[in-house]
């Protein structure tokens, strides 16, 4: 589904990702953990070229991403959910969900609205379709952001610390939606500090530090029997 080969990202002389290789299979839930500043979010943003890689190759369903040829089409296939929601504040919830399907997918507006309302049902927010983002709680905004990403009918979803900006009592409502998507077979790559989610939902957990993949394995392997000393040190501080 997603293949990353020899990915490098540098800002001048500052190398954030020295050389990352990774593969995410269809319907797999990959959870990326690690300390702040370890390159997790940069990696996620590089997958869809929101951050342009300095070097390396990224393939989606066997097709290499090319900024000059297919970037818009590829981005339509891989949805992104951000830490700070990135909703359009001047649009209603419903308008936020229908904008991209109509403009990018060229979907019939009535069809786009039907799909949007079904997705709002899915995340428990049909009653908020006419509300503006400023009228929503943080948890509601993030659930709308997930629904908006799903409205494009993507093949995969990328989550960049989707609960880190939320009050603790709002985290569960967002994680519950993400768990439902995982159970339905959505391909997901999740950067998170929620270790409980990683244990319960992840098919594979990747620990990053210093811009590199230090260790990866099943949740049981990583949390119960980590092999690398850096992984052990990190987990001893967060569990």
């Amino acid at each position: 589904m997603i293949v990353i080969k020899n990915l490098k990202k540098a800002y001048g002389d500052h190398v954030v990702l020295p050389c990352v290789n990774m593969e995410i299979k269809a319907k797999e839930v990959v959870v990326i953990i690690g300390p702040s500043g370890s390159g997790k979010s940069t990696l996620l943003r590089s997958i869809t070229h929101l951050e342009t890689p300095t070097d390396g190759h990224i393939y989606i369903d066997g097709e290499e991403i090319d900024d000059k040829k297919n970037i818009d089409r590829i981005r339509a296939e891989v949805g992104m959910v951000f830490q700070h929601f990135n909703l359009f504040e001047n649009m209603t919830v419903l308008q936020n969900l229908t904008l991209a399907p109509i403009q990018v997918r060229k979907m019939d507006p009535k069809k786009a609205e039907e799909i949007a309302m079904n997705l709002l049902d899915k995340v428990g927010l049909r009653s908020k379709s006419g509300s503006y983002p400023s009228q929503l709680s943080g948890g509601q905004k993030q659930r709308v952001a997930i629904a908006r990403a799903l409205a494009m009918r993507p093949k995969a979803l990328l989550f960049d610390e989707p609960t880190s900006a939320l009050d603790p009592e709002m985290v569960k409502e967002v994680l519950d939606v993400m768990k439902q998507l995982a159970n339905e077979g959505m391909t997901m790559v999740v950067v998170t500090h929620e270790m409980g989610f990683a244990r319960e939902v992840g098919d594979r957990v990747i620990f990053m530090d210093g811009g590199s993949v230090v260790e990866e394995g099943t949740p049981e392997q990583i949390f119960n029997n980590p092999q690398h000393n850096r992984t052990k040190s990190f987990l001893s501080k967060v569990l």
Side-chain angles (χ1 to χ4, degrees):
M1 174 64 201
I2 301 173
V3 177
I4 300 166
K5 292 186 176 181
N6 302 321
L7 177 66
K8 178 180 179 180
K9 178 61 183 178
Y11 301 96
D13 294 332
H14 178 52
V15 179
V16 180
L17 302 172
C19 185
V20 175
N21 290 279
M22 191 179 297
E23 182 174 352
I24 294 94
K25 298 181 177 66
K27 298 187 178 182
E28 186 179 27
V29 179
V30 174
V31 182
I32 303 175
I33 63 173
S36 297
S38 60
K40 306 184 302 296
S41 292
T42 301
L43 170 61
L44 212 63
R45 294 173 66 87
S46 295
I47 291 175
T48 57
H49 283 216
L50 292 174
E51 295 279 359
T52 304
T54 305
D55 200 2
H57 308 274
I58 298 173
Y59 302 86
I60 308 292
D61 271 355
E63 183 177 6
E64 184 172 6
I65 297 179
D66 186 320
D67 284 345
K68 295 179 180 179
K69 295 180 180 179
N70 61 9
I71 187 64
D72 290 334
R73 177 166 53 80
I74 293 292
R75 281 178 178 161
E77 303 298 335
V78 182
M80 185 91 171
V81 178
F82 300 90
Q83 179 178 350
H84 294 291
F85 325 126
N86 288 22
L87 298 175
F88 296 110
E89 295 291 334
N90 63 329
M91 294 183 177
T92 66
V93 165
L94 183 60
Q95 289 169 335
N96 265 278
L97 265 66
T98 58
L99 179 66
I102 292 171
Q103 293 196 352
V104 178
R105 295 282 196 197
K106 307 303 180 185
M107 192 179 293
D108 176 76
K110 289 186 177 179
K111 180 65 175 178
E113 184 171 325
E114 178 186 346
I115 291 172
M117 293 303 292
N118 287 337
L119 288 170
L120 289 174
D121 274 336
K122 187 184 192 75
V123 300
L125 291 172
R126 172 178 277 267
S127 65
K128 300 294 184 180
S129 63
S131 300
Y132 288 87
S134 62
Q135 299 171 306
L136 305 177
S137 69
Q140 289 171 334
K141 289 179 183 178
Q142 195 59 290
R143 283 186 283 157
V144 169
I146 293 171
R148 181 179 63 176
L150 290 170
M152 287 292 286
R153 296 181 167 179
K155 295 178 180 177
L157 281 181
L158 312 179
F159 293 83
D160 187 8
E161 299 189 17
T163 61
S164 61
L166 302 179
D167 293 333
E169 65 268 22
M170 297 178 182
V171 169
K172 184 179 183 300
E173 63 190 51
V174 173
L175 292 181
D176 283 346
V177 171
M178 294 171 65
K179 290 175 185 177
Q180 181 183 352
L181 293 175
N183 290 334
E184 292 172 354
M186 172 61 72
T187 305
M188 298 164 61
V189 185
V190 184
V191 169
T192 186
H193 294 293
E194 297 290 338
M195 297 300 127
F197 176 87
R199 278 181 183 271
E200 182 182 351
V201 182
D203 295 307
R204 185 157 45 107
V205 177
I206 294 174
F207 172 67
M208 288 186 67
D209 190 35
S212 298
V213 174
V214 175
E215 187 170 353
E216 64 179 288
T218 65
E220 182 178 0
Q221 290 169 335
I222 295 299
F223 290 109
N224 296 342
N225 190 30
Q227 299 300 301
H228 199 284
N229 285 336
R230 184 66 187 94
T231 314
K232 293 176 184 178
S233 174
F234 172 78
L235 291 176
S236 72
K237 296 171 184 176
V238 299
L239 294 179

